[in-house]
Structures are given as structure tokens and as C-alpha cells.
Amino acid sequence: PHTIIMLASRVLQFRTSLSTLSAATTTTINTKSRHILKSIYAAEREEGMGATVRRSLGTIQQHHDDPFLLLDEFWVGSRGGFPDHPHRGFETVTYLFRGQMQHEDFAGHKGTIGPGDLQWMTAGRGVVHCEMPVAAVVATQGKSNNQTGTGVAEAGASMGKDSSSPRPSQDPEATHGLQLWVNLSQKDKRCDPAYQDLRDDQIPRARPQDGVEVKVIAGETHGIKSKVYTRTPTMYLDYRMKKHQTAEQDVPKDYSGFVYMLSGKAYFGGDKEGVNTTNNKEEAEEKAVDLSRNHAVVNTTPDQPFKGQPHQALILSRDDGTDHLRIETTDQEAHFVILLGKPLKEPIVMDRLFIMNTKEETQQALQDFRESKNGFERAKEWRSTIAPKGYRLKF
């Protein structure tokens, strides 16, 4: 009997040791979420004529978020568009929610994208192209225009302005979408131009739970992988969440990124579970904000979930060892995109529509375009068939 008692005692001690070890191991697992460093409200503004833009990235408040250079939420009316203009050194990603856009370039590429569709264009060593809403193509044929501009939206065409027409962002017929600029590494800035066009039904969806749908535009999440090839490692995710949902998005530890809110309300990050929906101070500060201009708000309580609302870019923390982002909705549904990428950590120099590593390289790009050489050989004679006749962006 004494031997049995001693054996039982040792078994109990062994089990206790295992429990203690298990508890210790559990507490070392990193359960912290990425948090929001700051939010940037993108105010609405007219660009050129015929387009309205909300620019959250590529502004004074946030010049870039390596590897991302610019994000525009845009609306283009039937008298607007983006006629012939050049690019070098990066990629443009156009994703539509409403309307149709035709595109054409000097290498003979043509196509049309519609609601839910994607165009991922690699400018590489050089491209001259045109992007026009389908409604504008008919409206502008036979008209002539010359314009000097410094950006895509400024290159946005002015084919005349009807003062009785609503602003594009208020026009239910206007083409609505996002355009993202993704930087290319120095070794890829001289690659040949390329296109990847995907229809809405070719873009896979993940449904990690009821009430949460993720359209996987680029990258991989929840076991679903996009077909898009990204020279710069990138994740582009379109989230739609119903009310009262909680989700977690994996974030590679060496990626940076941000969230852009399209509609509704959601809470992001924070180390504490649950959302305080009765923050009177927060509501008072929001009412005092001037929504006619861009502004940034630094997050002073990173341990708390941060509220995201329409037209805000929420910049994520980086290099903090975390590998996921906590997301929660309360009394509203939410629609937003999450953009994550591996920083290139290279110098960024932008001159008009050319993005290179040095000032000398951007000056060379401008000279190459003007002289139709080193990738721009076809630029001299080419004119798109869908832009106003006689149009040429002047540099």
C-alpha cells in the first residue's frame, strides 16, 4: 500500500508539472494585435474637370506607406476620364465598384473592366495609356483638347463642364472605384509593361465565418489564394462584414500596410477585447473636425480598438512582432479594404508620373518620354482611339 501511495503521489506531481509547463507556454504566445498608428481623413476635391478624388495616401499627411505610393477613391462622370499619359517605375491597380472603364495603351493592349473587376498594370520601363469611362468615350469622340498636368487625376480630362450636372461623387451614374499605386524595386523598374485583368467572378472569396466575406484580390488569406502575380509582395483584401462580427486577419510580421474604409463602421486593433460605443469625448472631437480638408489624427491609446469610418485610411503599426489584426463591427455593417505589402526600403523620388530611386532617374524618364526613346519609342506617333482627338498631355 505504501508503494502505491508513493506512485500515485509522483503521478500527481508529474501532471501538475505538465499543467504548469502548459500554462507557461500559453502565456508566451503573442496575442497582441497590430494597432492603428494614425488615421487620415481623405477630403473630397475636384481634380481637373470631370473627376472627384479622395486621396488618402500620397498627401502631406502621408506621403507613402512603403511599398504603397498613392491611393485614390475616385468618381468620374460622363464628361471626364484619364486621357493619354505616361508612367514609369511602378504599378497602377484599378478596382471598380460601379460603372465601366475602357483602357488602351501604345503597345496595343485594350480592354474594359466593370463592377468588381480589376486591372493590375505594370508600367515598368515605360507605358503611355488612356483610361476612360465607357460613357465618356462616346461623349468625347471628335472633340479636341490639350492640357498640362502633373498627376493622373490632373491628367483627368476636361471635355467641358456642365454646371447643372451633379458632382461625380453625387452622381449615381458616375464610375466609382479605387486606384492604388504600388512601388517596384530598382531591379523591376526596367521590366517590360504588363497587364493582369480579372473579372469579378475570377477573383476568389474567403468566408471565414458567417457574416464575413473577404475578396482576395492579391495575396493569400484564410486558405484562399489570388491569381494575381505581384512583383512586390502584396496583399489586397476587400472585406465586407455584417453587424456584430469579430474577425482576425493574418499580417506577415515584416509587412507594413493600412486599412481604407469605404462605408459603415468598424473597430481595428487594440489589446483589449470589447468596444466602448459610448465614448462621448470621441464623438465630440469627430463633430469638431473640418471635413472639407484632409487631416490626420494620431492614435494616443493603441491598446484600445480604433474606430474606422468612411474615407479614412488607418495606418497600421509596424515592426512590433505582431502577426494579425483584430477587427470588430458593432451596430453597423462595414466595407473596407486592407492593403499589406513588404517594404522595399529603397529611396522614392517622384516627378509627375515617374517614380524612380533618384532625381537623375526621374529626369531621364522625362527626357526619354519627350524624345520617345528607352521604352517610349511608340509614344511619338501613338494616340488613343478612346480619348478626345488631338489630346496629348504636355510635359
Side-chain angles (χ1 to χ4, degrees), residues 136-174:
V137 173
V138 176
T140 61
Q141 292 301 318
K143 296 190 178 182
S144 176
N145 192 17
N146 288 297
Q147 184 168 331
T148 300
T150 57
V152 170
E154 289 180 79
S158 68
M159 277 64 75
K161 184 177 180 180
D162 183 353
S163 60
S164 64
S165 299
R167 292 169 64 91
S169 60
Q170 307 300 319
D171 182 358
E173 301 300 319

Side-chain angles (χ1 to χ4, degrees), residues 326-345:
R326 185 179 297 119
I327 311 164
E328 185 174 352
T329 55
T330 53
D331 58 343
Q332 293 184 32
E333 297 183 356
H335 183 199
F336 53 90
V337 294
I338 299 179
L339 297 154
L340 306 168
K342 188 172 183 178
L344 297 174
K345 299 180 180 179

Side-chain angles (χ1 to χ4, degrees), residues 364-382:
Q364 183 64 52
L366 179 58
Q367 183 178 341
D368 289 346
F369 172 65
R370 286 173 172 169
E371 299 178 4
S372 301
K373 64 182 184 180
N374 297 328
F376 289 110
E377 286 80 2
R378 284 172 280 203
K380 185 175 182 179
E381 303 296 332
W382 182 79

Side-chain angles (χ1 to χ4, degrees), residues 7-173:
L7 181 60
S9 176
R10 288 178 181 177
V11 169
L12 180 60
Q13 288 176 359
F14 180 67
R15 287 179 176 175
T16 303
S17 298
L18 281 178
S19 299
T20 303
L21 179 60
S22 176
T25 303
T26 301
T27 57
T28 61
I29 294 175
N30 183 13
T31 59
K32 287 188 175 182
S33 166
R34 290 277 182 116
H35 65 269
I36 305 303
L37 291 176
K38 66 177 177 180
S39 68
I40 301 161
Y41 174 75
E44 186 176 296
R45 63 186 186 186
E46 291 187 28
E47 291 284 345
M49 296 177 70
T52 298
V53 168
R54 289 183 181 269
R55 181 167 298 163
S56 52
L57 205 63
T59 64
I60 294 174
Q61 290 77 20
Q62 187 77 24
H63 291 292
H64 62 271
D65 189 26
D66 188 12
F68 304 115
L69 303 165
L70 176 146
L71 180 70
D72 280 349
E73 182 180 8
F74 66 85
W75 295 260
V76 186
S78 62
R79 303 178 69 82
F82 307 103
D84 309 6
H85 57 278
H87 293 298
R88 174 182 280 178
F90 64 103
E91 298 180 301
T92 67
V93 184
T94 305
Y95 178 45
L96 287 191
F97 300 118
R98 183 179 67 217
Q100 290 183 305
M101 291 282 284
Q102 283 186 272
H103 64 275
E104 182 179 29
D105 77 4
F106 70 173
H109 298 111
K110 294 183 179 181
T112 302
I113 58 173
D117 296 348
L118 173 79
Q119 182 200 79
W120 197 294
M121 187 193 80
T122 303
R125 63 197 301 257
V127 69
V128 179
H129 76 147
C130 174
E131 303 160 283
M132 300 288 291
V134 169
V137 173
V138 176
T140 61
Q141 292 301 318
K143 296 190 178 182
S144 176
N145 192 17
N146 288 297
Q147 184 168 331
T148 300
T150 57
V152 170
E154 289 180 79
S158 68
M159 277 64 75
K161 184 177 180 180
D162 183 353
S163 60
S164 64
S165 299
R167 292 169 64 91
S169 60
Q170 307 300 319
D171 182 358
E173 301 300 319

